[in-house]
Amino acid sequence: MRVSRLAVALVMALPLVTASTSAGPSPERTPIALTSVLPAVAEATPDPGDDFRITSGTTITGDADIGGQLAAILRPATGFALPISTGPAENSIRLGREPGHGAEGYRLTVRRDGVELLATERAGLFNGVQTLRQLLPAAIEADSPRRAKWIIPGGTINDRPRYAYRGTMLDLARHFHSPGEIRTHIDRIARFKINHLHLHLSDDQGWRIQIDAWPRLTEVGGAPGTGVGGDGGGFLTKQDYRDLVRYAADRNVTIVPEIDMPGHVNAAQTAYPELTCDRVAPRPRTDMRVGYSTLCVREEITYRFVEDVIRELAEMTPGPYLHIGGDESFATPHGSYLAFQRRVLPLVEKYGKIPYGWHEIGQSPAAARSVLQFWGRERNHPSVATAVAAGAKLIMSPANRTYLDMEYDRLTPGGLDWAGAIEVSTAYGWDPATLLPGIPEASILGVEAPLWSETLRTEDDIEFLAFPRLVAIAEIGWSPRATHDWPSFRARLGAYGPRWVRDGLRFHRSPEIPWS
Ligand code: TNX
């Protein structure tokens, strides 16, 4: 019911959105401010006398890979040929490498006679291009050339991330999203320098990734009708998954796969009753309850299953992390939960991956070399603090700040409300470094905004709940704390709105934001 209300509200909102912002910038328009970027850049020194104008004679030089991506953005928008060459050239946008910018940082220098983007790694060049596209007029997103006004504001940007991990999550288990929908989402998140996409691939309702050793997981658990409320169904083949990994990597996004266990396993058990202690297949479940299923911790077959899944998942995942869930295992006795983690956490390392799990895995002493995803609220969590003191790292996903499946307010359609309503200012108004008492900042790898999919079905549903809140989380993760400033953020976000409109993205037009 919530889903259809969401769809209706989106359709009704659309003409309004388009009408208010379709005029486009005038040719006389002054350049966009160097400081207008989302997420905020670390340092910007504007030099208004030194604007650069892209013309029919402009070339792109240096790195052919990211230079090619830049050309693919600029050519259709400007109508200019913008050839890519390797040598130095006047009137060029040059992409080069130099040491000193870290894994993802870059320096962008804009002068009247040329633009230079320098980074140490490919990721830094990619990030610099995301900045550059925001410095060009919003019409860059449209396909009609208006040649006169391709001005890049003069000055210098020095930029690098506060945290190495800036993520979001899609839940494919409650409602499956197709590879095409996932690719579209990757395009949209990468604009804001989000560099990890966590895929929640299994839960009580469905199993969404092919595992060769256990084929019934997807035959049964990925069948039609395995979404919440009996919707949809579907799964990723290994080929789909590998293609997504590559597509994401081109856009500086690392895929983080999750198989949730020992709870949230009803779909696996309907396919393989031998994974239950009584060997009786449970009935398929497409309701929204949690915490009722558990693997049978005392049986060896459980560990053969878990090892096969971890091995096959690790084989197709080049990224460092493998997420093993571990949340809400209310049907697993505490001692059994610890026994399970003692065997399973080392299995992840056996296949060359860093064990990653919801913060409950921190109850296990075996979690000292793991990453914990904190999804609680601001208060003391003794088992999290103990695990961190023993060496575990943290990704911050406080539910009352980062959960993209929470409703914006009482009136917006879609979403749940157990962690409260989350408007943009709530998503923006916190600091990962001070959220939990006694956690040193060096133990925090970054932030992630999960989007659980109980109430969402379509691409529009994803976008409405993710945007604009995900941009607030992206800024929390990327920008230095010194830049944190709500008035500045809301102004920059408001100015970004026309780009989403031109892109056809159905975002929430939050009343907190002064949309252009
Ligand atoms: C809690 S947060 C869950 C999920 C639900 C979500 C809905 C967490 C680790 N588990 O099983 O989908 O709430 O908001």
Side-chain angles (χ1 to χ4, degrees), residues 52 54 57-71 74-75 81-97 107-109 113-119 125 129 132:
F52 177 78
I54 303 177
T58 303
T59 59
I60 296 174
T61 67
D63 188 285
D65 165 17
I66 302 293
Q69 290 193 14
L70 179 63
L74 294 178
R75 281 175 188 153
L82 301 172
I84 300 179
S85 70
T86 45
E90 299 262 293
N91 186 9
S92 78
I93 303 175
R94 185 172 96 79
L95 283 68
R97 303 280 186 107
R107 183 170 65 230
L108 179 68
T109 310
D113 57 354
V115 174
E116 190 172 56
L117 173 59
L118 292 173
L125 289 179
V129 165
L132 196 49

Side-chain angles (χ1 to χ4, degrees), residues 171 174 200 203 260 264 288 290 327-328 358 360 375 399 403 405-406 416 418 452-454:
D171 171 6
R174 274 53 176 273
H200 184 75
D203 214 298
D260 204 349
H264 294 272
M288 293 175 17
V290 296
D327 58 316
E328 300 173 324
W358 298 106
E360 288 96 319
W375 63 278
Y403 267 36
D405 63 313
M406 292 302 120
L416 303 173
W418 65 262
W452 300 97
S453 69
E454 283 93 335

Side-chain angles (χ1 to χ4, degrees), residues 182-184 186-187 242-251:
I182 299 168
R183 280 196 293 273
T184 301
I186 290 170
D187 288 342
R242 289 200 170 99
D243 291 348
L244 279 173
V245 163
R246 208 166 321 128
Y247 187 89
D250 277 350
R251 290 151 184 81

